[in-house]
Each structure stands twice: as C-alpha cells, then as structure tokens.
Amino acid sequence: MHKQYNGNMMSKPQVVVKATVKAVNARRPKPRYLIGFGAKPLVFAHAILPTRGFDFIMMHAS
C-alpha cells in the first residue's frame, strides 16, 4: 500500500478540494462523489465482485 501513496496515480490535492467545495455548496448534494484516478474502476469492481472477493483483492493489491 505504501507504493500506492508514493506513486503518480494519486490525485492532486486541488482535485479533492474542488470536489469537496462542490459537494459542500451543492443545493442537493449527491450521496457519493467519485474523486481521483481509480475511483470509478474501484466502485465497478466492488459492484461485480462478492464482498469477500473484493476485500481479498484489496488486501493483496500492491
């Protein structure tokens, strides 16, 4: 996991701040905001895999 935080796949802080400001100021905020490089693929994988399978993959991803 240490590699993931040091790699170039991390979102810039400005991207996260922009999304946070958008969520805070939204008249009707969404229940979920997908921010960053791997957010959409991660949600997709979680949707198609059983919970235990997803958890196993996430624990061994590095």
Side-chain angles (χ1 to χ4, degrees):
M1 186 181 278
H2 185 67
K3 291 180 198 175
Q4 293 170 341
Y5 286 107
N6 289 330
N8 59 356
M9 294 182 162
M10 293 297 295
S11 298
K12 294 182 179 182
Q14 296 88 339
V15 173
V16 177
V17 169
K18 185 177 178 181
T20 304
V21 169
K22 182 179 176 180
V24 169
N25 292 324
R27 185 172 175 208
R28 299 181 73 193
K30 300 175 188 177
R32 183 176 293 115
Y33 289 83
L34 302 179
I35 304 165
F37 177 74
K40 289 180 183 179
L42 195 62
V43 170
F44 177 74
H46 195 272
I48 62 170
L49 293 172
T51 301
R52 288 180 190 241
F54 179 79
D55 291 343
F56 179 81
I57 290 171
M58 293 307 296
M59 291 297 295
H60 295 91
S62 54

